[in-house]
Amino acid sequence: MSDEDLWRVLRGIADMPYGAGQIAALEQLLRRVDAADDRHLAFVTRMQATTGYIYGGEPAKSFVTFSWCLSEFDRDPQPYHQRHLHQLLWHFKYMASGLLKFPEVPLDRTYAVLDDMERRYRAGGHSLQAVHKHRFRVAEHVGDVEAAAHWYRLWQTTPRDELSDCAGCDPTSQVSYLADTGRDAEAVALAEPVLAGRLTCTEQPQAILTALLLPYLRTGRAEEARDAHREAYRRLRGNLADLWDIADHIEFCTLTGNEARAVELVERHLDWLDRPPSPAAAMHFAAAASAALRQAGPSTVYRRAAEGRPAAEVSAASLADELAEMAAGLAARFDARNGTSQQSEWIARRLAAQASGEHVPLSASVRRRPTRPVADQSVVGAGTPASSADRARRVRSGGAEPQAVTLPVDAGPDDLLDLAEQSWGRHDRATFRAALVAFDDRFGSAELSARTSAHRLALRASERGDEDDIDGAIKLNRAAVELYREAGEDVAAQTVAGRLGVLLTRSDEESEEGLLLVREAAEVLDRLGDARQRAAGHDRVALALLHRERWADALAALDRVPADAGGDRHLAARIALHRGHLLEQVDRVDEARAAVDEARRIGRELGVGEVVTGAGLAYARLVDDPADAVAACDEALEAAPADAELPVRVARARALLAAGRAPDAVDDFVEAVTLCVERGAEGDAFLRWELANAYRMVGRLAEAAEVAEEAVLGLDRLGAQAEADRCRHLLAGVYAGLGEIDPALALLEQLASNLDGPDNLPHRAQVLEEAGGILYDADRDAAAGERFAAAAEAYRLGDLPLDELRARRRETYAWFWADDRDAALRAVEVVDGLAAKLAGQADPPVLYELAMAAEAGARVLTGEERLDEALGRLTGVPDRLRSIEAFGEAAQVEALIGELLLRLDRPAEAEPLLRRVLGGLPAASRQVRQTAWLLARALDLLDRPAEAAALRAEHDLDEDD
């Protein structure tokens, strides 16, 4: 590789984003540069590497490159050194700051760097303002309060110059000092004009916003604090070099009562501790993370794999201890070097951080609110001892207050169990629980008959089933059946056997036994039971068959149930709901909708929220009009017990999206995620994915990015790679919309890598093409050409010739605008070959691509001054484009034809064509000025200067443009 090639590579690397990729490219280039023995190139490359290491998260390596450059500068000064003197002097600031962050580096070395920095600044006639600032930072680091105040005054009173930190970074350090010394109002006032101005530094505005978090909070500016957190963290979150600042955001979340968000940030960045930018950054992150994890309560955190450590869920408490030990150990190392206790005292304060003051909502996906009761602990009155309520099992209920239930004082054991049985059938869980508590209090230790004991076991099984303890419910039902049989209670035994059978059919292993039990029970109840018992028996057969997905057989079982369900309207509502579910499965939508509507009507009349909710959700799935679905979900939400609120919120959010009410859908998705987090339920990652999409749809891209990042982390944690990749794809689009090009490209590169299998070729190609589009729009044309070429190859392997042609056409444009003529001409040859294979097809997409391929080739040939060839390619192209209603593209091609005619000295042909094109363009079209300019030029060549001047005046064109 020639020196010229190496210089070109260096310029390309300088355009790369800071991070591991740029560092790897720089180090590879350094090896080539040293082999080439070009001192100038070696110097400039190491200067670039120093900056790359600092902002890429590996500052320790910058000490080596800086020292090499300084030594080379002093040893044998060259003319090119002077061109980089300002940058070399600027790098002294990086060194003075960076050396402090490594406890193994003696403090004397930092002082020596500062002395050398001061000597060189004086020799160059520069202000010592930056030197004073860094002496202040050393004094602050070691805890020398008087020295810090002294150097702070000198820093503030010494004139600034071109080596001073920028208009954002200097005030950031001032804000931090004022906040640390209790002068929060001054800190906020100082920052206001800075934030109102234009900040262009790499570190701003995120650094000053981070420094303002606590001053804002402590001066009662909660909204400003929230906005500062969101804006700054979004800019910091992808940069390893900013690990220390991210620790400040974790601490801020902890202090403001956002424990869930604090833990999410810890989890997202935890693996950065395996490769921290510096021990100081690791110390502060570990301390802030430990404090956050201690506030999280009993929970686990996902820790990614590292060398010698597999990926695993780890206890938050044990991880908090580990991180606290790490932070304290690092602080002790710094203090040992510094001869003070400053760092240990600082870390002790961070480790003790906890929520205080008013809660400040921060998360875009989780609301904090008073925890809804997850139990309906019925208050039992009329003679029942109050202590018995403590023994009630907790169940989910929609009531905000415990419901008082009055029970007869003289009720016997069978009376209480019968009341519990009836209450269960009426969906009255409060009375059901109260009756069982009263039974256990009054008769739990009494000698009972086999029938009574069996009844209590059967009801206990119902309790277990309500708590999703299916194995426990099965065991209790088996015991109840045996006791009923011993007591000669055939009807009761078969009723419980039917319930047992339904539970058994929920698993593959015991389904045959379950089906046998429910069928035998139904047959016996047909002979011995009353009308209600017979109806319930056949309903249980239908439920068992539903569990086995035998839809037609289940419907046949329900057909044997009398219309009035034996006179039990509660049972009739359940049966109608079951029928609706079955009809939905066999695509008998109209009948299904009628059935669930009947269940909903009965549920309303009886006041049974559980039925209204279930039927409302089913109805919402079955209607065609999204507005009707939203109305059904509204009713379901109003009636829903607490344990049903989550699915209702999700259904309502989706219905709102379908109805075009995305802003309202956002609120429901946020509520759904909150419920998931509060209850420790699975699935919040999937809901965050949907929420991120809703935020995207309403244009709230910053929140969309935040939530999608959370979703990706959660989906990866669940091992749901396909869903995680789809969410990454969404996130890449959001990043692109925010103008965050490099994060978007990084995600698309990861997706392309993940989609490397032969079955994924179309998706891989799509992702590569999208990456090319982003690069092309960002005027990074050479990189765009590479992505389009890779996409085209993937389309070829996937046997998608039209897509391959489109990608090659876009590659051609990219090389053309990158001014790589050879690559552009090679691309035209490939495009011509692909176009020849598709020629003759009349499908509009094919016609479009063939026409635009001709246009791309013509542009490249125009650049090569092969004007006649270019013009020949465009013959008939505008008409073909208009035939498929691609009018804008047709006008674009005709404008190119007009330009070619002018360059071929054929203005008489160009003038009417360009006039027609200009007349057909919308007034606000981007093509208007270009076409008007070409037309004016044609008029000039036709010796019609007055018309040309009038046209230029009309379109505000300069004759020399």
Side-chain angles (χ1 to χ4, degrees), residues 903-918:
R903 294 177 66 173
L904 288 166
D905 199 22
R906 294 159 62 180
E909 296 171 68
E911 187 265 339
L913 172 65
L914 291 170
R915 190 176 296 280
R916 186 176 69 249
V917 172
L918 184 60

Side-chain angles (χ1 to χ4, degrees), residues 96 100 110-119 128-142 144 147-148 150-152 154:
L100 279 184
T110 301
Y111 287 129
V113 167
L114 282 169
D115 291 342
D116 192 20
M117 177 180 174
E118 181 172 344
R119 179 181 65 80
L128 297 184
Q129 192 255 13
V131 178
H132 298 329
K133 173 180 179 177
H134 284 277
R135 291 196 186 280
F136 153 75
R137 295 184 71 170
V138 175
E140 189 179 41
H141 171 78
V142 301
D144 189 336
H150 167 74
W151 290 114
Y152 182 83
L154 280 178

Side-chain angles (χ1 to χ4, degrees), residues 8-257:
R8 187 172 62 253
V9 170
L10 177 59
R11 287 192 292 270
I13 291 172
D15 289 336
M16 292 176 66
Y18 293 121
Q22 188 197 51
I23 287 172
L26 279 165
E27 291 178 346
Q28 182 182 43
L29 178 61
L30 270 174
R31 290 190 289 271
R32 292 178 175 176
V33 165
D34 288 343
D37 197 27
D38 183 328
R39 289 178 59 195
H40 183 190
L41 182 56
F43 182 85
V44 175
T45 302
R46 282 178 169 82
M47 291 290 287
Q48 179 66 49
T50 298
T51 303
Y53 286 139
I54 293 293
Y55 289 109
E58 298 187 41
K61 293 181 178 180
S62 73
F63 304 156
V64 177
T65 53
F66 171 79
S67 297
W68 189 97
C69 290
L70 190 64
S71 175
E72 179 75 4
F73 181 91
D74 289 341
R75 182 179 63 83
D76 185 17
Q78 297 292 319
Y80 59 79
H81 285 150
Q82 291 303 313
R83 294 198 295 272
H84 300 282
L85 176 58
H86 177 274
Q87 186 181 9
L88 187 65
L89 293 175
W90 189 279
H91 285 179
F92 267 96
K93 298 189 290 183
Y94 294 159
M95 297 304 108
S97 176
L99 292 171
L100 279 184
K101 299 172 183 175
F102 292 82
E104 62 270 28
V105 178
L107 205 56
D108 287 346
R109 185 171 172 188
T110 301
Y111 287 129
V113 167
L114 282 169
D115 291 342
D116 192 20
M117 177 180 174
E118 181 172 344
R119 179 181 65 80
R120 292 174 189 266
Y121 278 37
R122 285 185 186 278
H126 300 294
S127 170
L128 297 184
Q129 192 255 13
V131 178
H132 298 329
K133 173 180 179 177
H134 284 277
R135 291 196 186 280
F136 153 75
R137 295 184 71 170
V138 175
E140 189 179 41
H141 171 78
V142 301
D144 189 336
V145 176
E146 291 184 4
H150 167 74
W151 290 114
Y152 182 83
R153 284 192 298 273
L154 280 178
W155 166 33
Q156 294 306 302
T157 54
T158 302
R160 289 172 52 82
D161 71 354
E162 69 278 3
L163 287 173
S164 297
D165 283 345
C166 78
C169 291
D170 252 4
T172 296
S173 300
Q174 293 173 251
V175 166
S176 296
Y177 179 68
L178 293 171
D180 289 343
T181 53
R183 296 149 68 183
D184 291 321
E186 290 181 58
V188 172
L190 184 149
E192 284 177 353
V194 177
L195 291 171
R198 187 163 179 258
L199 299 173
T200 58
C201 170
T202 301
E203 301 175 37
Q204 300 298 343
Q206 59 270 27
I208 195 166
L209 290 173
T210 299
L212 284 166
L213 291 174
L214 296 185
Y216 275 150
L217 192 63
R218 292 190 297 240
T219 56
R221 295 171 169 85
E223 288 192 14
E224 288 93 332
R226 179 200 62 205
D227 293 344
H229 164 69
R230 286 183 170 174
E231 170 70 9
Y233 177 72
R234 187 173 64 78
R235 293 172 178 269
L236 297 167
R237 69 194 185 285
N239 302 321
L240 176 63
D242 294 322
L243 184 62
W244 188 332
D245 282 354
I246 288 169
D248 292 341
H249 285 269
I250 292 171
E251 182 177 73
F252 176 72
C253 292
T254 300
L255 293 171
T256 54

Side-chain angles (χ1 to χ4, degrees), residues 681-711:
E682 295 290 337
D684 66 286
F686 294 93
L687 290 176
R688 288 175 204 255
W689 176 16
E690 293 190 71
L691 171 59
N693 186 51
Y695 273 131
R696 179 192 63 81
M697 292 174 68
V698 299
R700 295 167 63 178
L701 296 185
E703 289 104 324
E706 176 185 325
V707 177
E709 288 163 359
E710 296 168 357

Side-chain angles (χ1 to χ4, degrees), residues 436-456:
L436 293 181
V437 167
F439 175 91
D440 290 345
D441 281 350
R442 300 177 192 181
F443 308 107
S445 58
E447 194 73 28
L448 301 171
S449 68
R451 176 188 177 282
T452 302
S453 297
H455 199 178
R456 181 63 185 99

Side-chain angles (χ1 to χ4, degrees), residues 669-919:
F669 276 128
V670 170
E671 198 69 24
V673 173
T674 302
L675 289 167
C676 262
V677 172
E678 285 180 344
R679 298 174 181 182
E682 295 290 337
D684 66 286
F686 294 93
L687 290 176
R688 288 175 204 255
W689 176 16
E690 293 190 71
L691 171 59
N693 186 51
Y695 273 131
R696 179 192 63 81
M697 292 174 68
V698 299
R700 295 167 63 178
L701 296 185
E703 289 104 324
E706 176 185 325
V707 177
E709 288 163 359
E710 296 168 357
V712 166
L713 182 67
L715 292 166
D716 278 342
R717 179 177 180 174
L718 293 171
Q721 181 174 329
E723 291 80 3
D725 282 347
R726 289 171 64 192
C727 190
R728 284 187 179 93
H729 191 232
L730 167 71
L731 181 55
V734 172
Y735 283 157
L738 287 166
E740 298 178 9
I741 303 304
D742 293 312
L745 291 170
L747 277 178
L748 292 174
E749 289 294 326
Q750 182 180 355
L751 278 174
S753 176
N754 290 349
L755 298 168
D756 58 354
D759 294 340
N760 291 322
L761 282 170
H763 302 297
R764 174 180 169 81
Q766 178 189 349
V767 164
L768 289 167
E769 188 175 2
E770 287 180 24
I774 291 172
L775 288 162
Y776 186 82
D777 291 341
D779 293 330
R780 290 157 66 172
D781 298 309
E786 293 173 356
R787 297 303 192 286
F788 287 137
E793 177 61 13
Y795 283 131
R796 185 189 69 79
L797 293 172
D799 194 24
L800 296 166
L802 183 61
D803 296 299
E804 182 186 359
L805 174 60
R806 181 187 63 250
R808 290 295 183 188
R809 169 176 63 81
R810 299 181 77 184
E811 178 194 355
T812 302
Y813 285 133
W815 293 128
F816 175 74
W817 293 114
D819 201 25
D820 190 333
R821 296 184 175 185
D822 291 340
L825 286 169
R826 287 193 299 271
V828 169
E829 290 180 11
V830 175
V831 167
D832 287 347
L834 292 169
K837 295 177 182 178
L838 293 170
Q841 297 186 29
D843 291 339
V846 177
L847 289 176
Y848 180 86
E849 283 303 330
L850 290 173
M852 298 311 294
E855 194 260 4
R859 287 201 181 276
V860 172
L861 292 174
T862 300
E864 295 296 304
E865 295 298 326
R866 293 160 61 179
L867 305 181
D868 286 316
E869 290 180 65
L871 186 60
R873 282 175 173 266
L874 299 177
T875 301
V877 169
D879 290 337
R880 290 197 292 274
L881 285 168
R882 277 191 287 269
S883 74
I884 56 174
E885 300 184 0
F887 300 113
E889 289 85 346
Q892 174 182 311
V893 172
E894 286 187 316
L896 177 57
I897 292 172
E899 178 184 348
L900 286 166
L901 290 170
L902 288 176
R903 294 177 66 173
L904 288 166
D905 199 22
R906 294 159 62 180
E909 296 171 68
E911 187 265 339
L913 172 65
L914 291 170
R915 190 176 296 280
R916 186 176 69 249
V917 172
L918 184 60

